[in-house]
């Protein structure tokens, strides 16, 4: 009886060309999640900008020192 060693495939290697759609979809979904995360910060940024504009408007009405 002889023993022969054979390599064991550890992963299902698929040509990258066949997975283009999946890679594009994953990239797109990550982009959408990033945009959604940033969008949750927008109200605070807009509120700060509005406050800055009001302060600048009030400051512009004062006479120069």
């Amino acid at each position: 009886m002889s023993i022969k060693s054979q390599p064991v495939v550890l992963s299902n290697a698929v040509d990258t060309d066949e997975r283009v759609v999946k890679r594009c979809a994953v990239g797109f979904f990550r982009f959408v999640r990033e945009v959604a995360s940033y969008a949750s910060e927008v109200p605070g940024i807009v509120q700060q900008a509005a406050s800055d504009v009001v302060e600048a408007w009030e400051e512009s009405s004062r006479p120069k020192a």
Side-chain angles (χ1 to χ4, degrees):
M1 177 187 275
S2 67
I3 298 175
K4 295 181 182 179
S5 62
Q6 295 180 346
V8 176
V9 178
L10 298 178
S11 66
N12 293 335
V14 178
D15 293 345
T16 56
D17 293 339
E18 295 178 18
R19 305 299 292 210
V20 171
V21 173
K22 181 180 177 182
R23 286 188 296 141
C24 290
V26 169
F28 176 74
F29 294 147
R30 286 183 179 155
F31 172 76
V32 168
R33 288 179 191 273
E34 188 69 26
V35 168
S37 173
Y38 178 73
S40 68
E41 299 173 5
V42 170
I45 294 170
V46 171
Q47 184 178 9
Q48 181 63 46
S51 175
D52 290 346
V53 168
V54 169
E55 288 178 18
W57 177 257
E58 292 172 353
E59 188 175 318
S60 70
S61 68
R62 296 185 206 133
K64 292 183 179 180

